Amino acid sequence: MLLEFEKPIVELEEKLAGMKELAKDSDADVEEAIETLEKKIEKLKRETFQNLTRWQRVQLSRHPERPYTLDYIYGMTSDFVELHGDRTVKDDKAMVGGLATIDNQTFMLVGQQKGRNTKQRQMRNFGMANPEGYRKALRLMQIANKFNIPVVTLIDTPGAYPGLEAEERGQGEAIARNLKEMFMLDVPIITIVIGEGASGGALGIGIGDRVLMMENTWYSVISPESCSSILWRSWEYKEQAAEALKLTAKDMLDKGLIDGIIEEPLGGAHADVQASINAVKKAILDNYKELRKLKPEKLKEARIAKFVAMGEVAEK
Amino acid sequence: MAWFTRKDKGIQTPTEAKKEAPDGLWYKTPSGKIIHTRELKNNRYVSPEDGYHVRIGSKEYFEILFDNNEFTELDANLSSADPYGFVDSKPYTERIAASQKKTGLTDAVRTATGKMNGLDLTVSCMDFAFIGGSMGSVVGEKIARAIDYCLKHKTPFLMISKSGGARMMESSLSLMQMAKTSAKLALLSEAKIPYISLLTDPTTGGVTASYAMLGDFNIAEPGALIGFAGPRVIRETIGKDLPKGFQSAEFVLDHGFLDFIVDRRDLKARLTTLLNMLRKK
């Protein structure tokens, strides 16, 4: 899939390929021209991706080739044991999790999972978890807590599922309970937004000692489309809504709502999946190295203090 | 051109001119019962004929709960900043100023502490009249401070929710108020101080998905709309009409997320009984 702002780059890349083809068949000396064009492409790429608008980053966060939670888990580990079910209703396939080791350290990895094709998307419910998904996530995190295993959550969701059964089974209660219980875990929690971080559905697994966002992701109280529909009463203002919501990784870091940004390969996480996986793996290990030094009481205290400090009010 | 396009601009009622609260001498309930406003007030704003619970605000709840309407308001000096310089169809600062002027409130929640039938009680109560009772930084901060007060003075905490959810104009800061209030409630829970959450019409979105559902006791007023996603969003998602009574307090009770439903006229007595039982062991 090609995004609008990628078109000029791809056009040049096609031109370059043509030129290279030409160089192979003839003796004409086009080497210099090829080099110039390569440099030009590199420059254009850099300029384009450094100056993306907020809405363009939202588009990148939803890119269909972007690595998803299981891509990261299978990419970072070789012994993943997936665990299923919330022990109450069913196994929510929009939320996945299990144990795996990274560099000899066991982690409990939990995250929303999107699907790659129509069938998978349906099975994964587009990464929109039901209450049982949040309860499964909590069950896994509490197992981790019991066996003193650090938790990593990977966020990638367009929202908690707004369905009839979700309401019957207490979507609000499930998310609320996760928020409260995650503050009570004794083990380190590292949270990474790898794609979309939509509102309560994202926050429901988002109470981390370290909360990181990948460079081209978004995290906010509402999606730009829904915000546009409510505040502007039309779906047409999503770009303005994205600007107003200030929902990018940099915006979130500026407000002190996240702890860091994981840089993506030029062109976005999907442009070099292996490099993205390596970057996430490194971030997990680096942050865990710091967090493991803290005693559980200090860890919890700092986690609570960090979130309690969030907010800006006028006091007269 | 659509045949129904309204050409005459003069007959539209601007939002600020629309009336929300019963104003005037008579009040008509949705089922058509008519009651004198003085009688309505004396009846805890419940229509005597059909039991309809009229939407009320913090002023009325404090009056209902605190003995002789005596209480101390906490953190009344907090009001909304404009952390994102948010502008949609009008600037956020203007919305705030207009809402303050219209309602006489500073934001969507007020906290008070006092005696209820002689028992110490701290209450945070949301006001739907203030931008749909939406939760931004002020709401989160005031609730966090109310819980701090409860922790310090060992008073039970009553949260009265009435909200459309998180306030979009404070974007991610609003979202994080869900985390902030839940963190404080975790501490309150560890300190074994009772927390009662009263859900009133309507309680939806990020408020339901945080403090409103975290009570030791979750209780609600009859007929209140309670849910995570709003009915319109769900209808659009599933493409079907919603069953009758869906997301009503009775429905939520039936599905196991409420301890009981309480008629507003019995609220003070029921809360007193409950809190007294927790004291005597």
Side-chain angles (χ1 to χ4, degrees), chain A residues 256-311:
Chain A
L257 301 179
I258 60 165
D259 303 294
I261 298 174
I262 301 175
E263 226 178 282
E264 289 183 21
L266 193 58
H270 61 284
D272 185 346
V273 173
Q274 192 54 51
S276 304
I277 290 169
N278 293 344
V280 166
K281 183 175 171 179
K282 186 175 182 302
I284 292 172
L285 290 172
D286 288 351
N287 281 284
Y288 176 62
K289 211 183 283 171
E290 290 170 28
L291 293 172
R292 66 184 298 180
K293 294 180 203 148
L294 300 172
K295 294 228 158 55
E297 278 314 308
K298 284 274 166 233
L299 197 65
K300 278 197 283 191
E301 230 178 83
R303 189 186 303 149
I304 289 173
K306 181 175 82 171
F307 281 93
V308 163
M310 292 176 185

